[in-house]
PDB file of all heavy atoms in Angstrom:
ATOM      1  N   ASN P  24      16.438  10.155  -5.462  1.00  0.00           N
ATOM      2  CA  ASN P  24      16.328   9.101  -4.436  1.00  0.00           C
ATOM      3  C   ASN P  24      14.887   8.728  -4.102  1.00  0.00           C
ATOM      4  O   ASN P  24      14.646   7.753  -3.393  1.00  0.00           O
ATOM      5  CB  ASN P  24      17.074   9.512  -3.173  1.00  0.00           C
ATOM      6  CG  ASN P  24      18.509   9.014  -3.209  1.00  0.00           C
ATOM      7  OD1 ASN P  24      18.892   8.110  -2.477  1.00  0.00           O
ATOM      8  ND2 ASN P  24      19.305   9.582  -4.083  1.00  0.00           N
ATOM      9  N   PHE P  81      14.181   7.159   7.111  1.00  0.00           N
ATOM     10  CA  PHE P  81      15.223   8.011   7.688  1.00  0.00           C
ATOM     11  C   PHE P  81      16.410   8.259   6.759  1.00  0.00           C
ATOM     12  O   PHE P  81      17.310   8.999   7.093  1.00  0.00           O
ATOM     13  CB  PHE P  81      15.701   7.443   9.028  1.00  0.00           C
ATOM     14  CG  PHE P  81      14.590   7.345  10.021  1.00  0.00           C
ATOM     15  CD1 PHE P  81      14.106   6.115  10.435  1.00  0.00           C
ATOM     16  CD2 PHE P  81      13.980   8.493  10.502  1.00  0.00           C
ATOM     17  CE1 PHE P  81      13.054   6.024  11.330  1.00  0.00           C
ATOM     18  CE2 PHE P  81      12.925   8.420  11.398  1.00  0.00           C
ATOM     19  CZ  PHE P  81      12.454   7.183  11.814  1.00  0.00           C
ATOM     20  N   SER P  82      16.424   7.601   5.607  1.00  0.00           N
ATOM     21  CA  SER P  82      17.545   7.846   4.711  1.00  0.00           C
ATOM     22  C   SER P  82      17.087   8.186   3.294  1.00  0.00           C
ATOM     23  O   SER P  82      17.258   9.306   2.828  1.00  0.00           O
ATOM     24  CB  SER P  82      18.463   6.618   4.697  1.00  0.00           C
ATOM     25  OG  SER P  82      19.520   6.826   3.807  1.00  0.00           O
ATOM     26  N   VAL P  86      16.592  12.193   1.662  1.00  0.00           N
ATOM     27  CA  VAL P  86      17.510  12.563   0.576  1.00  0.00           C
ATOM     28  C   VAL P  86      16.702  12.872  -0.689  1.00  0.00           C
ATOM     29  O   VAL P  86      16.920  13.881  -1.362  1.00  0.00           O
ATOM     30  CB  VAL P  86      18.538  11.440   0.289  1.00  0.00           C
ATOM     31  CG1 VAL P  86      19.389  11.788  -0.922  1.00  0.00           C
ATOM     32  CG2 VAL P  86      19.439  11.208   1.491  1.00  0.00           C
ATOM     33  N   LEU P 108      25.163  16.641  -3.393  1.00  0.00           N
ATOM     34  CA  LEU P 108      25.092  15.302  -2.779  1.00  0.00           C
ATOM     35  C   LEU P 108      26.231  15.010  -1.810  1.00  0.00           C
ATOM     36  O   LEU P 108      26.136  14.085  -1.006  1.00  0.00           O
ATOM     37  CB  LEU P 108      25.046  14.231  -3.873  1.00  0.00           C
ATOM     38  CG  LEU P 108      23.714  14.159  -4.626  1.00  0.00           C
ATOM     39  CD1 LEU P 108      23.795  13.168  -5.782  1.00  0.00           C
ATOM     40  CD2 LEU P 108      22.585  13.759  -3.691  1.00  0.00           C
ATOM     41  N   GLN P 109      27.321  15.780  -1.882  1.00  0.00           N
ATOM     42  CA  GLN P 109      28.460  15.486  -1.011  1.00  0.00           C
ATOM     43  C   GLN P 109      28.530  16.409   0.209  1.00  0.00           C
ATOM     44  O   GLN P 109      29.574  16.490   0.850  1.00  0.00           O
ATOM     45  CB  GLN P 109      29.782  15.577  -1.792  1.00  0.00           C
ATOM     46  CG  GLN P 109      29.874  14.645  -2.996  1.00  0.00           C
ATOM     47  CD  GLN P 109      29.727  13.187  -2.619  1.00  0.00           C
ATOM     48  OE1 GLN P 109      30.178  12.769  -1.568  1.00  0.00           O
ATOM     49  NE2 GLN P 109      29.073  12.412  -3.465  1.00  0.00           N
ATOM     50  N   THR P 110      27.446  17.098   0.523  1.00  0.00           N
ATOM     51  CA  THR P 110      27.470  17.935   1.728  1.00  0.00           C
ATOM     52  C   THR P 110      27.459  17.038   2.967  1.00  0.00           C
ATOM     53  O   THR P 110      27.008  15.880   2.887  1.00  0.00           O
ATOM     54  CB  THR P 110      26.242  18.863   1.770  1.00  0.00           C
ATOM     55  OG1 THR P 110      25.080  18.043   1.686  1.00  0.00           O
ATOM     56  CG2 THR P 110      26.240  19.861   0.638  1.00  0.00           C
ATOM     57  N   LEU P 112      25.498  16.955   5.512  1.00  0.00           N
ATOM     58  CA  LEU P 112      24.142  16.475   5.835  1.00  0.00           C
ATOM     59  C   LEU P 112      23.773  15.287   4.960  1.00  0.00           C
ATOM     60  O   LEU P 112      23.245  14.268   5.440  1.00  0.00           O
ATOM     61  CB  LEU P 112      23.128  17.616   5.661  1.00  0.00           C
ATOM     62  CG  LEU P 112      21.660  17.215   5.840  1.00  0.00           C
ATOM     63  CD1 LEU P 112      21.411  16.707   7.264  1.00  0.00           C
ATOM     64  CD2 LEU P 112      20.725  18.377   5.523  1.00  0.00           C
ATOM     65  N   MET P 113      24.049  15.391   3.675  1.00  0.00           N
ATOM     66  CA  MET P 113      23.719  14.298   2.745  1.00  0.00           C
ATOM     67  C   MET P 113      24.535  13.048   3.084  1.00  0.00           C
ATOM     68  O   MET P 113      24.020  11.926   3.049  1.00  0.00           O
ATOM     69  CB  MET P 113      24.017  14.725   1.302  1.00  0.00           C
ATOM     70  CG  MET P 113      22.968  15.620   0.735  1.00  0.00           C
ATOM     71  SD  MET P 113      21.422  14.712   0.568  1.00  0.00           S
ATOM     72  CE  MET P 113      20.364  16.006   0.026  1.00  0.00           C
ATOM     73  N   ASP P 114      25.806  13.256   3.412  1.00  0.00           N
ATOM     74  CA  ASP P 114      26.648  12.117   3.819  1.00  0.00           C
ATOM     75  C   ASP P 114      26.047  11.417   5.026  1.00  0.00           C
ATOM     76  O   ASP P 114      25.938  10.191   5.068  1.00  0.00           O
ATOM     77  CB  ASP P 114      28.054  12.614   4.178  1.00  0.00           C
ATOM     78  CG  ASP P 114      28.975  12.582   2.974  1.00  0.00           C
ATOM     79  OD1 ASP P 114      28.591  11.987   1.952  1.00  0.00           O
ATOM     80  OD2 ASP P 114      30.075  13.171   3.052  1.00  0.00           O
ATOM     81  N   ALA P 115      25.637  12.244   6.013  1.00  0.00           N
ATOM     82  CA  ALA P 115      25.077  11.675   7.243  1.00  0.00           C
ATOM     83  C   ALA P 115      23.802  10.903   6.927  1.00  0.00           C
ATOM     84  O   ALA P 115      23.592   9.786   7.431  1.00  0.00           O
ATOM     85  CB  ALA P 115      24.794  12.790   8.248  1.00  0.00           C
ATOM     86  N   LEU P 116      22.952  11.473   6.083  1.00  0.00           N
ATOM     87  CA  LEU P 116      21.687  10.800   5.749  1.00  0.00           C
ATOM     88  C   LEU P 116      21.954   9.477   5.018  1.00  0.00           C
ATOM     89  O   LEU P 116      21.256   8.485   5.243  1.00  0.00           O
ATOM     90  CB  LEU P 116      20.808  11.703   4.880  1.00  0.00           C
ATOM     91  CG  LEU P 116      20.065  12.813   5.635  1.00  0.00           C
ATOM     92  CD1 LEU P 116      19.393  13.770   4.664  1.00  0.00           C
ATOM     93  CD2 LEU P 116      19.028  12.222   6.586  1.00  0.00           C
ATOM     94  N   ARG P 117      22.955   9.478   4.149  1.00  0.00           N
ATOM     95  CA  ARG P 117      23.268   8.228   3.437  1.00  0.00           C
ATOM     96  C   ARG P 117      23.775   7.163   4.401  1.00  0.00           C
ATOM     97  O   ARG P 117      23.397   6.006   4.328  1.00  0.00           O
ATOM     98  CB  ARG P 117      24.290   8.473   2.332  1.00  0.00           C
ATOM     99  CG  ARG P 117      23.640   8.661   0.972  1.00  0.00           C
ATOM    100  CD  ARG P 117      24.643   8.558  -0.147  1.00  0.00           C
ATOM    101  NE  ARG P 117      25.733   9.495   0.047  1.00  0.00           N
ATOM    102  CZ  ARG P 117      25.687  10.781  -0.345  1.00  0.00           C
ATOM    103  NH1 ARG P 117      24.599  11.240  -0.920  1.00  0.00           N
ATOM    104  NH2 ARG P 117      26.700  11.585  -0.139  1.00  0.00           N
ATOM    105  N   TRP P 118      24.623   7.585   5.364  1.00  0.00           N
ATOM    106  CA  TRP P 118      25.148   6.617   6.339  1.00  0.00           C
ATOM    107  C   TRP P 118      24.054   6.102   7.272  1.00  0.00           C
ATOM    108  O   TRP P 118      24.128   4.970   7.774  1.00  0.00           O
ATOM    109  CB  TRP P 118      26.292   7.234   7.146  1.00  0.00           C
ATOM    110  CG  TRP P 118      27.589   7.110   6.411  1.00  0.00           C
ATOM    111  CD1 TRP P 118      28.254   8.089   5.751  1.00  0.00           C
ATOM    112  CD2 TRP P 118      28.362   5.907   6.250  1.00  0.00           C
ATOM    113  NE1 TRP P 118      29.389   7.586   5.172  1.00  0.00           N
ATOM    114  CE2 TRP P 118      29.487   6.255   5.459  1.00  0.00           C
ATOM    115  CE3 TRP P 118      28.212   4.592   6.680  1.00  0.00           C
ATOM    116  CZ2 TRP P 118      30.445   5.319   5.100  1.00  0.00           C
ATOM    117  CZ3 TRP P 118      29.181   3.662   6.320  1.00  0.00           C
ATOM    118  CH2 TRP P 118      30.274   4.032   5.546  1.00  0.00           C
ATOM    119  N   THR P 119      23.024   6.941   7.499  1.00  0.00           N
ATOM    120  CA  THR P 119      21.903   6.513   8.355  1.00  0.00           C
ATOM    121  C   THR P 119      21.258   5.242   7.809  1.00  0.00           C
ATOM    122  O   THR P 119      20.679   4.446   8.543  1.00  0.00           O
ATOM    123  CB  THR P 119      20.839   7.641   8.407  1.00  0.00           C
ATOM    124  OG1 THR P 119      21.504   8.836   8.771  1.00  0.00           O
ATOM    125  CG2 THR P 119      19.736   7.349   9.385  1.00  0.00           C
ATOM    126  N   ARG P 120      21.394   5.072   6.508  1.00  0.00           N
ATOM    127  CA  ARG P 120      20.805   3.892   5.887  1.00  0.00           C
ATOM    128  C   ARG P 120      21.348   2.595   6.477  1.00  0.00           C
ATOM    129  O   ARG P 120      20.667   1.566   6.500  1.00  0.00           O
ATOM    130  CB  ARG P 120      21.098   3.933   4.384  1.00  0.00           C
ATOM    131  CG  ARG P 120      20.071   3.167   3.621  1.00  0.00           C
ATOM    132  CD  ARG P 120      20.349   3.128   2.182  1.00  0.00           C
ATOM    133  NE  ARG P 120      20.073   1.756   1.770  1.00  0.00           N
ATOM    134  CZ  ARG P 120      19.944   1.377   0.531  1.00  0.00           C
ATOM    135  NH1 ARG P 120      20.067   2.248  -0.422  1.00  0.00           N
ATOM    136  NH2 ARG P 120      19.676   0.127   0.250  1.00  0.00           N
ATOM    137  N   ALA P 121      22.587   2.647   6.963  1.00  0.00           N
ATOM    138  CA  ALA P 121      23.206   1.430   7.505  1.00  0.00           C
ATOM    139  C   ALA P 121      22.383   0.849   8.664  1.00  0.00           C
ATOM    140  O   ALA P 121      22.335  -0.369   8.838  1.00  0.00           O
ATOM    141  CB  ALA P 121      24.624   1.728   7.959  1.00  0.00           C
TER     142      ALA P 121
END
Side-chain angles (χ1 to χ4, degrees):
N24 268 251
F81 300 111
S82 178
V86 175
L108 288 174
Q109 302 301 325
T110 56
L112 175 62
M113 282 294 176
D114 269 349
L116 282 172
R117 263 194 305 275
W118 276 105
T119 308
R120 206 183 137 166

